[in-house]
Amino acid sequence: MDLPRHFVERERHHRIHNPIDATKLATLGAALRLPAGATVLDLACGSGEMLCTWARDHAIQGTGVDLSSAFVESAQKRAAELGVGGAVRFVQGDAVGYVADEPVDVASCLGATWIGGGAEGTVALLRRSVRPGGMLLVGEPYWRRTPDDEVVASFGVAPDEWTDLPGLVARFGELGCDLVEMVLADKDSWDRYVAAQWLTIRRFLDAHPDDELAPQFREELATAPLYHVRYQREYLGWGVFALMDR
Ligand code: SAH
């Protein structure tokens, strides 16, 4: 099992596959006050930027699991580039049901909570890997503005799938967690995630006009920017929430 190719091509040059930028990721790493040697399990780690930079900046030890062989390869290259190859390891595979061999200090899933069937299931999955008193990191979307039916439909989600920020924070409380830190995306960090896809797609189209993905990407490049500025950038918030069990 591997990630479908269009995802890989669209985000081939992304180090972070979420609307959090490098500065915010660094802010989060510092905010958590992780001691040197802290162990981190990152499910759906993408290209491993969180683990690699936190290993460099905070001397954490990390394991990342991701379905995409291309992203895992990028993560391994990035670890070598940052000189942290001995501190982090990346595993290609399904993170659904993945539990660490040894309990970790921090277990995370940023922007892939479908691996647990939603935020609640992902909290339950991460809990199975974390030591008592450890921390969970969950990256989730929320509505920045109240959407009407047209807006909800544009995202292809059920009306009750996402809530607003107070609703999301309340939900973490209902799951028995203290919210102990958070770093939120903003419109500019959304652009770093989404707008960066457009140039990658355009370059792909120029280089591979006859590729099987070309028709889909041509259509996407013609429509995605307008969709982004009309809906995603305006209505969708996203954040990383640091949780500790009560
Ligand atoms: N957390 C990373 C990546 C988020 S994008 C970051 O912030 O950069 C979502 C990731 O989930 C992609 O890398 C994709 O390959 C991965 N993914 C999707 N389904 C998965 C699964 N079942 N198991 C493991 N990884 C999965």
Short mmCIF file of all heavy atoms in Angstrom, two decimals, residues 1-4 7-8 11 14-20 25 42-50 65-69 71-72 91-98 108-116 193 238 240, ligand 1:
data_model
loop_
_atom_site.label_atom_id
_atom_site.label_comp_id
_atom_site.label_asym_id
_atom_site.label_seq_id
_atom_site.Cartn_x
_atom_site.Cartn_y
_atom_site.Cartn_z
N MET A 1 0.85 -1.20 0.00
CA MET A 1 0.00 0.00 0.00
C MET A 1 0.88 1.25 0.00
O MET A 1 1.83 1.33 0.76
CB MET A 1 -0.90 -0.02 1.24
CG MET A 1 -2.03 0.97 1.14
SD MET A 1 -3.45 0.63 2.24
CE MET A 1 -2.74 0.72 3.84
N ASP A 2 0.59 2.18 -0.88
CA ASP A 2 1.36 3.43 -0.94
C ASP A 2 0.37 4.57 -1.20
O ASP A 2 -0.79 4.34 -1.55
CB ASP A 2 2.41 3.35 -2.07
CG ASP A 2 3.63 4.21 -1.79
OD1 ASP A 2 3.46 5.32 -1.23
OD2 ASP A 2 4.75 3.81 -2.15
N LEU A 3 0.84 5.80 -1.01
CA LEU A 3 -0.02 6.96 -1.22
C LEU A 3 -0.27 7.14 -2.73
O LEU A 3 0.68 7.05 -3.51
CB LEU A 3 0.67 8.20 -0.65
CG LEU A 3 -0.16 9.47 -0.53
CD1 LEU A 3 -1.26 9.31 0.51
CD2 LEU A 3 0.74 10.65 -0.17
N PRO A 4 -1.52 7.41 -3.16
CA PRO A 4 -1.76 7.63 -4.59
C PRO A 4 -0.82 8.71 -5.15
O PRO A 4 -0.49 9.68 -4.47
CB PRO A 4 -3.22 8.08 -4.63
CG PRO A 4 -3.84 7.46 -3.43
CD PRO A 4 -2.76 7.45 -2.37
N PHE A 7 -1.09 12.73 -5.00
CA PHE A 7 -0.71 13.41 -3.75
C PHE A 7 0.80 13.67 -3.72
O PHE A 7 1.26 14.73 -3.31
CB PHE A 7 -1.06 12.55 -2.52
CG PHE A 7 -2.53 12.49 -2.19
CD1 PHE A 7 -3.22 11.29 -2.29
CD2 PHE A 7 -3.20 13.61 -1.75
CE1 PHE A 7 -4.57 11.21 -1.97
CE2 PHE A 7 -4.55 13.54 -1.41
CZ PHE A 7 -5.23 12.34 -1.53
N VAL A 8 1.53 12.66 -4.14
CA VAL A 8 3.00 12.75 -4.08
C VAL A 8 3.48 13.84 -5.03
O VAL A 8 4.29 14.70 -4.66
CB VAL A 8 3.63 11.39 -4.45
CG1 VAL A 8 5.16 11.52 -4.53
CG2 VAL A 8 3.22 10.32 -3.46
N GLU A 11 2.72 17.49 -3.87
CA GLU A 11 3.43 18.00 -2.69
C GLU A 11 4.87 17.50 -2.64
O GLU A 11 5.47 17.43 -1.57
CB GLU A 11 2.65 17.62 -1.41
CG GLU A 11 1.26 18.24 -1.42
CD GLU A 11 0.48 18.06 -0.12
OE1 GLU A 11 1.08 17.71 0.91
OE2 GLU A 11 -0.75 18.26 -0.16
N HIS A 14 7.09 19.95 -0.95
CA HIS A 14 6.71 20.40 0.39
C HIS A 14 7.56 19.68 1.44
O HIS A 14 7.68 18.46 1.39
CB HIS A 14 5.24 20.06 0.69
CG HIS A 14 4.23 20.95 0.04
ND1 HIS A 14 4.20 21.19 -1.31
CD2 HIS A 14 3.20 21.65 0.56
CE1 HIS A 14 3.18 22.00 -1.59
NE2 HIS A 14 2.57 22.31 -0.47
N ARG A 15 8.04 20.44 2.41
CA ARG A 15 8.63 19.77 3.58
C ARG A 15 7.57 19.53 4.64
O ARG A 15 7.66 18.62 5.43
CB ARG A 15 9.74 20.63 4.17
CG ARG A 15 10.99 20.61 3.33
CD ARG A 15 12.19 21.06 4.13
NE ARG A 15 13.38 20.91 3.33
CZ ARG A 15 14.25 21.87 3.12
NH1 ARG A 15 14.09 23.05 3.67
NH2 ARG A 15 15.31 21.64 2.36
N ILE A 16 6.58 20.41 4.65
CA ILE A 16 5.48 20.31 5.61
C ILE A 16 4.20 20.19 4.80
O ILE A 16 3.90 21.05 3.97
CB ILE A 16 5.41 21.57 6.50
CG1 ILE A 16 6.75 21.78 7.23
CG2 ILE A 16 4.25 21.47 7.49
CD1 ILE A 16 6.85 23.10 7.97
N HIS A 17 3.46 19.12 5.03
CA HIS A 17 2.26 18.86 4.22
C HIS A 17 1.01 19.28 4.99
O HIS A 17 0.05 18.52 5.13
CB HIS A 17 2.18 17.38 3.86
CG HIS A 17 3.41 16.84 3.19
ND1 HIS A 17 3.58 16.84 1.82
CD2 HIS A 17 4.55 16.34 3.70
CE1 HIS A 17 4.77 16.32 1.53
NE2 HIS A 17 5.38 16.02 2.66
N ASN A 18 1.05 20.46 5.52
CA ASN A 18 -0.04 21.00 6.34
C ASN A 18 0.06 22.51 6.31
O ASN A 18 1.13 23.05 6.03
CB ASN A 18 0.12 20.51 7.79
CG ASN A 18 -0.69 19.27 8.05
OD1 ASN A 18 -1.85 19.18 7.66
ND2 ASN A 18 -0.08 18.31 8.72
N PRO A 19 -1.02 23.21 6.70
CA PRO A 19 -0.96 24.68 6.67
C PRO A 19 -0.22 25.29 7.86
O PRO A 19 -0.58 26.36 8.33
CB PRO A 19 -2.44 25.09 6.67
CG PRO A 19 -3.15 23.96 7.28
CD PRO A 19 -2.38 22.72 6.95
N ILE A 20 0.80 24.63 8.34
CA ILE A 20 1.65 25.20 9.38
C ILE A 20 3.00 25.42 8.70
O ILE A 20 3.47 24.54 7.98
CB ILE A 20 1.73 24.24 10.59
CG1 ILE A 20 2.53 24.84 11.73
CG2 ILE A 20 2.27 22.88 10.24
CD1 ILE A 20 2.42 24.04 13.04
N LEU A 25 6.08 25.72 13.11
CA LEU A 25 6.52 24.40 13.57
C LEU A 25 7.63 24.55 14.62
O LEU A 25 7.64 23.84 15.64
CB LEU A 25 7.02 23.58 12.37
CG LEU A 25 7.18 22.08 12.58
CD1 LEU A 25 5.86 21.42 12.99
CD2 LEU A 25 7.72 21.43 11.30
N ASP A 42 5.52 10.00 15.55
CA ASP A 42 4.69 10.85 14.68
C ASP A 42 4.00 9.98 13.63
O ASP A 42 4.67 9.45 12.73
CB ASP A 42 5.58 11.92 14.01
CG ASP A 42 4.75 12.97 13.29
OD1 ASP A 42 3.54 13.10 13.59
OD2 ASP A 42 5.32 13.67 12.43
N LEU A 43 2.70 9.81 13.78
CA LEU A 43 1.95 8.99 12.83
C LEU A 43 1.50 9.85 11.65
O LEU A 43 1.02 10.96 11.84
CB LEU A 43 0.73 8.37 13.53
CG LEU A 43 1.04 7.42 14.70
CD1 LEU A 43 -0.24 6.79 15.25
CD2 LEU A 43 2.03 6.32 14.29
N ALA A 44 1.67 9.31 10.45
CA ALA A 44 1.45 10.07 9.21
C ALA A 44 2.38 11.28 9.19
O ALA A 44 1.97 12.42 9.06
CB ALA A 44 -0.01 10.48 9.05
N CYS A 45 3.67 10.97 9.30
CA CYS A 45 4.71 12.00 9.49
C CYS A 45 5.05 12.74 8.22
O CYS A 45 5.82 13.70 8.26
CB CYS A 45 5.97 11.34 10.05
SG CYS A 45 6.70 10.15 8.88
N GLY A 46 4.52 12.31 7.06
CA GLY A 46 4.84 12.99 5.81
C GLY A 46 6.34 12.95 5.54
O GLY A 46 6.99 11.90 5.68
N SER A 47 6.92 14.09 5.23
CA SER A 47 8.35 14.16 4.90
C SER A 47 9.22 14.40 6.13
O SER A 47 10.40 14.75 6.00
CB SER A 47 8.59 15.24 3.84
OG SER A 47 7.86 14.93 2.67
N GLY A 48 8.63 14.23 7.30
CA GLY A 48 9.43 14.15 8.53
C GLY A 48 10.01 15.46 9.05
O GLY A 48 10.90 15.44 9.90
N GLU A 49 9.48 16.60 8.56
CA GLU A 49 10.10 17.87 8.94
C GLU A 49 10.02 18.14 10.44
O GLU A 49 10.96 18.68 11.04
CB GLU A 49 9.45 19.01 8.16
CG GLU A 49 10.13 20.36 8.31
CD GLU A 49 11.52 20.44 7.66
OE1 GLU A 49 11.99 19.45 7.06
OE2 GLU A 49 12.15 21.51 7.77
N MET A 50 8.92 17.76 11.06
CA MET A 50 8.79 18.00 12.50
C MET A 50 9.86 17.23 13.27
O MET A 50 10.61 17.81 14.06
CB MET A 50 7.38 17.61 12.99
CG MET A 50 7.15 17.93 14.45
SD MET A 50 5.52 17.42 15.01
CE MET A 50 5.84 15.72 15.44
N VAL A 65 6.01 7.39 10.99
CA VAL A 65 5.38 6.34 10.17
C VAL A 65 4.55 7.03 9.11
O VAL A 65 3.75 7.92 9.44
CB VAL A 65 4.46 5.45 11.03
CG1 VAL A 65 3.83 4.35 10.18
CG2 VAL A 65 5.21 4.86 12.21
N ASP A 66 4.73 6.65 7.87
CA ASP A 66 3.92 7.24 6.81
C ASP A 66 3.72 6.23 5.69
O ASP A 66 4.60 5.42 5.39
CB ASP A 66 4.56 8.51 6.26
CG ASP A 66 3.54 9.37 5.50
OD1 ASP A 66 3.25 9.06 4.32
OD2 ASP A 66 3.00 10.32 6.11
N LEU A 67 2.55 6.35 5.07
CA LEU A 67 2.18 5.46 3.98
C LEU A 67 3.00 5.72 2.71
O LEU A 67 3.20 4.83 1.90
CB LEU A 67 0.69 5.72 3.67
CG LEU A 67 -0.11 4.66 2.96
CD1 LEU A 67 -0.02 3.34 3.69
CD2 LEU A 67 -1.57 5.12 2.87
N SER A 68 3.47 6.93 2.54
CA SER A 68 4.10 7.31 1.27
C SER A 68 5.59 6.96 1.26
O SER A 68 6.37 7.51 2.03
CB SER A 68 3.93 8.81 1.04
OG SER A 68 4.79 9.23 0.00
N SER A 69 5.97 6.07 0.35
CA SER A 69 7.40 5.71 0.25
C SER A 69 8.20 6.93 -0.21
O SER A 69 9.33 7.14 0.22
CB SER A 69 7.60 4.53 -0.69
OG SER A 69 6.95 4.77 -1.91
N PHE A 71 7.57 10.16 0.45
CA PHE A 71 7.73 11.10 1.57
C PHE A 71 8.70 10.53 2.61
O PHE A 71 9.50 11.27 3.19
CB PHE A 71 6.38 11.44 2.21
CG PHE A 71 5.43 12.22 1.33
CD1 PHE A 71 4.09 12.35 1.67
CD2 PHE A 71 5.89 12.84 0.17
CE1 PHE A 71 3.21 13.08 0.86
CE2 PHE A 71 5.01 13.56 -0.64
CZ PHE A 71 3.67 13.68 -0.29
N VAL A 72 8.63 9.22 2.85
CA VAL A 72 9.57 8.60 3.80
C VAL A 72 11.01 8.75 3.29
O VAL A 72 11.92 9.06 4.06
CB VAL A 72 9.19 7.12 4.04
CG1 VAL A 72 10.33 6.36 4.71
CG2 VAL A 72 7.92 7.04 4.90
N VAL A 91 9.53 4.95 9.01
CA VAL A 91 9.01 3.65 8.61
C VAL A 91 7.91 3.88 7.59
O VAL A 91 7.00 4.68 7.83
CB VAL A 91 8.40 2.92 9.84
CG1 VAL A 91 7.86 1.56 9.45
CG2 VAL A 91 9.40 2.83 10.98
N GLN A 92 8.00 3.19 6.45
CA GLN A 92 6.92 3.27 5.48
C GLN A 92 5.87 2.23 5.85
O GLN A 92 6.20 1.04 6.00
CB GLN A 92 7.45 3.00 4.06
CG GLN A 92 6.45 3.32 2.96
CD GLN A 92 5.61 2.14 2.52
OE1 GLN A 92 6.08 1.01 2.53
NE2 GLN A 92 4.37 2.39 2.16
N GLY A 93 4.64 2.69 6.04
CA GLY A 93 3.60 1.74 6.36
C GLY A 93 2.33 2.42 6.80
O GLY A 93 2.24 3.64 6.89
N ASP A 94 1.35 1.58 7.08
CA ASP A 94 0.03 2.06 7.49
C ASP A 94 0.08 2.43 8.97
O ASP A 94 0.50 1.63 9.80
CB ASP A 94 -0.97 0.92 7.26
CG ASP A 94 -2.41 1.39 7.35
OD1 ASP A 94 -2.64 2.55 7.68
OD2 ASP A 94 -3.30 0.55 7.08
N ALA A 95 -0.34 3.64 9.29
CA ALA A 95 -0.34 4.09 10.70
C ALA A 95 -1.64 3.72 11.41
O ALA A 95 -1.75 3.92 12.62
CB ALA A 95 -0.11 5.60 10.76
N VAL A 96 -2.61 3.18 10.67
CA VAL A 96 -3.86 2.76 11.32
C VAL A 96 -3.53 1.64 12.30
O VAL A 96 -2.96 0.62 11.93
CB VAL A 96 -4.89 2.27 10.27
CG1 VAL A 96 -6.12 1.70 10.95
CG2 VAL A 96 -5.27 3.40 9.32
N GLY A 97 -3.83 1.87 13.57
CA GLY A 97 -3.57 0.86 14.59
C GLY A 97 -2.12 0.77 15.03
O GLY A 97 -1.76 -0.12 15.80
N TYR A 98 -1.27 1.70 14.57
CA TYR A 98 0.16 1.61 14.90
C TYR A 98 0.39 2.03 16.36
O TYR A 98 -0.03 3.10 16.78
CB TYR A 98 0.97 2.52 13.97
CG TYR A 98 2.48 2.33 14.12
CD1 TYR A 98 3.19 1.53 13.24
CD2 TYR A 98 3.18 2.96 15.15
CE1 TYR A 98 4.55 1.34 13.37
CE2 TYR A 98 4.54 2.77 15.31
CZ TYR A 98 5.22 1.97 14.41
OH TYR A 98 6.57 1.79 14.55
N SER A 108 2.06 11.93 18.17
CA SER A 108 1.42 12.97 17.37
C SER A 108 0.80 12.44 16.09
O SER A 108 1.21 11.40 15.56
CB SER A 108 2.45 14.06 17.03
OG SER A 108 3.49 13.49 16.28
N CYS A 109 -0.18 13.17 15.63
CA CYS A 109 -0.76 12.95 14.31
C CYS A 109 -1.25 14.31 13.83
O CYS A 109 -2.24 14.83 14.34
CB CYS A 109 -1.91 11.95 14.37
SG CYS A 109 -2.70 11.75 12.75
N LEU A 110 -0.54 14.87 12.86
CA LEU A 110 -0.87 16.22 12.39
C LEU A 110 -1.50 16.13 11.00
O LEU A 110 -0.85 15.80 10.02
CB LEU A 110 0.39 17.11 12.31
CG LEU A 110 1.28 17.17 13.55
CD1 LEU A 110 2.33 18.26 13.39
CD2 LEU A 110 0.48 17.39 14.82
N GLY A 111 -2.77 16.42 10.96
CA GLY A 111 -3.44 16.52 9.66
C GLY A 111 -3.69 15.18 9.00
O GLY A 111 -3.61 15.07 7.78
N ALA A 112 -3.99 14.18 9.79
CA ALA A 112 -4.31 12.86 9.21
C ALA A 112 -5.16 12.08 10.19
O ALA A 112 -4.99 10.87 10.35
CB ALA A 112 -3.02 12.11 8.89
N THR A 113 -6.10 12.75 10.85
CA THR A 113 -6.85 12.06 11.92
C THR A 113 -7.83 11.03 11.37
O THR A 113 -8.46 10.32 12.16
CB THR A 113 -7.59 13.06 12.84
OG1 THR A 113 -8.30 13.98 12.03
CG2 THR A 113 -6.65 13.81 13.75
N TRP A 114 -7.88 10.90 10.04
CA TRP A 114 -8.67 9.79 9.50
C TRP A 114 -8.03 8.45 9.88
O TRP A 114 -8.70 7.43 9.88
CB TRP A 114 -8.82 9.91 7.97
CG TRP A 114 -7.51 9.94 7.24
CD1 TRP A 114 -6.75 8.86 6.87
CD2 TRP A 114 -6.80 11.11 6.81
NE1 TRP A 114 -5.61 9.29 6.24
CE2 TRP A 114 -5.62 10.66 6.19
CE3 TRP A 114 -7.05 12.48 6.87
CZ2 TRP A 114 -4.67 11.53 5.66
CZ3 TRP A 114 -6.11 13.35 6.34
CH2 TRP A 114 -4.94 12.88 5.73
N ILE A 115 -6.74 8.45 10.24
CA ILE A 115 -6.12 7.16 10.60
C ILE A 115 -6.77 6.58 11.86
O ILE A 115 -6.67 5.39 12.10
CB ILE A 115 -4.58 7.24 10.78
CG1 ILE A 115 -4.21 8.13 11.97
CG2 ILE A 115 -3.88 7.69 9.51
CD1 ILE A 115 -2.77 7.92 12.42
N GLY A 116 -7.41 7.44 12.65
CA GLY A 116 -8.12 6.93 13.83
C GLY A 116 -9.63 7.07 13.66
O GLY A 116 -10.36 6.94 14.64
N TYR A 193 1.10 26.21 2.31
CA TYR A 193 0.72 24.82 2.03
C TYR A 193 0.06 24.70 0.65
O TYR A 193 0.47 23.88 -0.18
CB TYR A 193 -0.22 24.29 3.12
CG TYR A 193 -0.73 22.90 2.83
CD1 TYR A 193 0.15 21.87 2.51
CD2 TYR A 193 -2.09 22.61 2.86
CE1 TYR A 193 -0.30 20.59 2.24
CE2 TYR A 193 -2.55 21.33 2.59
CZ TYR A 193 -1.66 20.33 2.28
OH TYR A 193 -2.12 19.07 2.00
N TRP A 238 -6.95 25.82 11.07
CA TRP A 238 -6.24 24.56 11.32
C TRP A 238 -5.26 24.81 12.46
O TRP A 238 -4.71 25.91 12.56
CB TRP A 238 -5.49 24.12 10.04
CG TRP A 238 -4.99 22.71 10.10
CD1 TRP A 238 -5.67 21.59 9.73
CD2 TRP A 238 -3.70 22.27 10.55
NE1 TRP A 238 -4.89 20.48 9.93
CE2 TRP A 238 -3.69 20.87 10.43
CE3 TRP A 238 -2.57 22.92 11.06
CZ2 TRP A 238 -2.58 20.10 10.80
CZ3 TRP A 238 -1.48 22.17 11.42
CH2 TRP A 238 -1.47 20.76 11.27
N VAL A 240 -2.50 22.88 15.62
CA VAL A 240 -1.94 21.74 16.35
C VAL A 240 -2.24 21.96 17.82
O VAL A 240 -1.92 23.02 18.38
CB VAL A 240 -0.42 21.59 16.13
CG1 VAL A 240 0.10 20.37 16.89
CG2 VAL A 240 -0.10 21.47 14.64
N1 SAH B 1 2.03 15.14 9.38
C1 SAH B 1 2.71 15.44 8.13
C2 SAH B 1 1.93 14.97 6.90
C3 SAH B 1 0.48 15.39 6.83
S1 SAH B 1 -0.25 15.05 5.23
C4 SAH B 1 3.01 16.90 8.03
O1 SAH B 1 2.46 17.68 8.82
O2 SAH B 1 3.79 17.31 7.17
C5 SAH B 1 -1.02 13.51 5.49
C6 SAH B 1 -0.04 12.34 5.47
O3 SAH B 1 -0.75 11.18 5.83
C7 SAH B 1 0.62 12.06 4.12
O4 SAH B 1 2.02 12.07 4.27
C8 SAH B 1 0.13 10.63 3.79
O5 SAH B 1 1.11 9.86 3.12
C9 SAH B 1 -0.15 10.09 5.17
N2 SAH B 1 -1.09 8.99 5.26
C10 SAH B 1 -2.33 8.90 4.72
N3 SAH B 1 -2.92 7.76 5.10
C11 SAH B 1 -2.04 7.11 5.92
C12 SAH B 1 -2.06 5.88 6.62
N4 SAH B 1 -3.11 5.08 6.57
N5 SAH B 1 -0.98 5.53 7.35
C13 SAH B 1 0.12 6.33 7.39
N6 SAH B 1 0.19 7.52 6.75
C14 SAH B 1 -0.87 7.90 6.02
#
